Amino acid sequence: MSDNKTGNGTSRRAFLRGAAAAGAGALSATAAKAQSPDPLITELQPWAQGFGDGVDATPYGLPIEFEGDVIRRNVEWLTADTVSSINFTPIHALDGTITPQGCAFERHHSGAIELRKEDYRLMLNGLVDTPLVFSYADLERFPRENHVYFCECAANTGMEWAGAQLNGAQFTHGMIHNMEYTGVPLRTLLEEAGLDMAGDLSDKWVYVEGADASSNGRSIPMEKALDDCLIAFKANGEALRKEHGYPVRLVVPGWEGNMWVKWIRRIEVTDGPIESREETSKYTDVLENGIARKWTWAMDAKSVVTSPSPQAPITHGKGPLVITGLAWSGRGAITRVDVSKDGGMTWESARLAKPGEKMALTRFYLDTDWDGSEMMLQSRAMDDTGYIQPTKTQLREVRGLNSIYHNNCIQTWLVRSNGEAENVEVS
Ligand code: MTE
Ligand code: CO
């Protein structure tokens, strides 16, 4: 079709020419100029001279070897052994929001167990009409839902209370993952067992426990159990990995990771909390006045710059720089993230990659022009309840210095002119 016939061809060609020119201009700031001949451009490379792997080489793929450092890591001195321990998601090296299962942090109290679907049973007992036992195949016959949620261990950032401690976003903020879960609402199973939905359920609880030796028992108020808890058996489209609770785990959106019971084997409807070890001596917060706050379930809004950060230094000179990070809130959706380059004195609004989704990670970007000078990088999240992520000083005023869990304070990275970054604290 000729330009004359369409009537707009000329202007379209002109537009394309303009776009090409603009593109070249923008690129010249970042892409290397081809001054000397580049063999990668001018010479035929080995990978273009033969065949690659056949389709039968990798029935189930792993990341290419060049990405071999994008892995979970643990901090050896943190725990006495590896079965009651934790490792951390390499958030400094990931982008987008979905955490691949293969590098999503693990937290076990007695190791990751191996439980076949055929051997799996879920018991629902207590204050219900008909106590039930479900097999895996039974669970697959209830209507399913899909939801993306983050899971954050209450201990995430817990080592940072007393001062800047660990040098990397992976270690300071990597006890978090964000996956798309497929499962059956807990509500559906409670209805199936004849829980009296018309009755007064305000004083009712569920006690949930896992099939592992630790059992990790937790009490959950009935209102939450009926609201959005999920009995999940798939994550990111495939079966849960062993370490995340295969074949079935509980998902408790927005609430501390400890409640997300893996290898879930029993749900008991009770008329009060059990006050188990995991909800009394552990996962409670000692406040400034020395008194422990009984239960902090929802994870407050929090964010962190993932790059640049100590494990992800700037490797180029001044000019265009992408600052990026993650934000989340256990009480709702992220509405705004601000970034500071001067330790919190001035702030710029970051761009959210997508509008925030409830109780899921939100990716933010600040596309900036770096003048090569030192930065004190911070990010500050806001959620749809109007809550603003606090500074470390603000948090310490309420929580004192003896806390371990639920540290959602603003993080600071000192980024030097050579691009290297370090975990620091500003007062
Ligand atoms: N469930 C069982 N059965 N056993 C456990 O040790 N650890 C809990 C929770 N559920 C645990 C468990 C803790 S403290 C957290 S933070 C999350 O699982 C971690 O889930 P993940 O290992 O999938 O990251
Ligand atoms: Co935990």
Side-chain angles (χ1 to χ4, degrees), residues 351-424:
R351 169 171 66 86
L352 305 187
K354 281 197 290 187
E357 287 164 21
K358 282 190 183 306
M359 297 164 291
L361 291 189
T362 298
R363 170 66 58 181
F364 66 85
Y365 296 102
L366 186 74
D367 310 298
T368 194
D369 198 28
W370 184 41
D371 61 9
S373 61
E374 207 169 86
M375 292 184 284
M376 295 276 252
L377 268 189
Q378 298 185 333
S379 63
R380 181 178 67 185
M382 280 156 249
D383 70 17
D384 58 5
T385 69
Y387 178 91
I388 303 175
Q389 185 182 357
T391 63
K392 221 172 198 180
T393 310
Q394 287 169 334
L395 207 55
R396 280 191 186 131
E397 278 164 16
V398 185
R399 302 280 298 279
L401 286 174
N402 290 321
S403 277
I404 303 170
Y405 306 107
H406 307 107
N407 182 351
N408 69 320
C409 73
I410 290 172
Q411 169 68 40
T412 313
W413 305 126
L414 165 64
V415 183
R416 299 185 196 284
S417 321
N418 66 4
E420 282 171 12
E422 196 185 317
N423 183 4
V424 297

Side-chain angles (χ1 to χ4, degrees), residues 215-236:
S215 86
N216 197 78
R218 288 293 306 245
S219 311
I220 300 175
M222 186 57 82
E223 195 188 348
K224 180 69 174 174
L226 294 177
D227 182 17
D228 54 7
C229 290
L230 211 57
I231 301 289
F233 37 83
K234 294 273 163 77
N236 300 340

Side-chain angles (χ1 to χ4, degrees), residues 68-87:
D69 62 336
V70 185
I71 49 171
R72 300 190 269 234
R73 289 186 177 83
N74 52 7
V75 172
E76 271 174 29
W77 54 260
L78 211 55
T79 53
D81 56 55
T82 55
V83 288
S84 180
S85 192
I86 183 118
N87 58 26

Side-chain angles (χ1 to χ4, degrees), residues 105-107 109 153 177 212 244 249 257-258 260 262 283:
F105 88 95
E106 303 165 63
R107 169 75 175 107
H109 291 77
C153 181
H177 52 60
D212 53 331
H244 298 124
R249 92 173 299 167
N258 185 257
W260 294 48
K262 301 191 275 192
Y283 301 104

